Amino acid sequence: MATPKKAKRGKHRWVAISTTIDTSREDLDIFFSQCFDGVEIRVFDIIKSINSTNIIVKVPLPHYRSFLKEINDHSDYYSITSSGKIRLVRSRMLGLG
């Protein structure tokens, strides 16, 4: 089956989030489904370090602003950067761009 053309796939934003909580993909899926009921938030990357965990998620564009507000209002999470391209978010997280 062919994939839908780009215009049919819907617009989204890639958001990098940081937390001090040692978390797993399953924990994040549960957290996002509870906080953003009915919104498809997909976890793509989890990068763990000694002091923090960085996460890249895909957020539908209509929910992008409310997602950022909710994440930044939460005491354990905060957004680092966001973009329409995952490559840019990854490079910013690694300090390359």
Side-chain angles (χ1 to χ4, degrees):
M1 180 176 194
T3 59
K5 298 211 182 274
K6 188 174 181 178
K8 299 281 184 183
R9 284 184 263 166
K11 293 188 181 260
H12 58 269
R13 288 293 176 261
W14 300 96
V15 181
I17 301 167
S18 186
T19 182
T20 55
I21 300 170
D22 186 25
T23 187
S24 68
R25 186 175 299 272
E26 293 78 24
D27 295 337
L28 290 168
D29 287 338
I30 292 167
F31 171 73
F32 291 137
S33 67
Q34 290 173 347
C35 289
F36 306 99
D37 189 31
V39 179
E40 186 181 348
I41 309 291
R42 291 197 50 208
V43 177
F44 270 77
D45 293 346
I46 299 175
I47 304 159
K48 295 186 179 190
S49 66
I50 296 170
N51 299 329
S52 66
T53 301
N54 294 332
I55 306 145
I56 297 178
V57 296
K58 182 179 176 182
V59 180
L61 187 59
H63 303 284
Y64 169 68
R65 294 280 180 208
S66 61
F67 177 83
L68 284 181
K69 182 178 179 341
E70 184 72 27
I71 286 298
N72 289 323
D73 286 347
H74 198 279
S75 62
D76 296 325
Y77 299 91
Y78 64 93
S79 63
I80 302 171
T81 186
S82 59
S83 176
K85 299 187 183 300
I86 193 169
R87 176 182 46 83
L88 294 175
V89 173
R90 284 179 174 151
S91 68
R92 290 174 189 164
M93 281 181 51
L94 297 173
L96 301 175

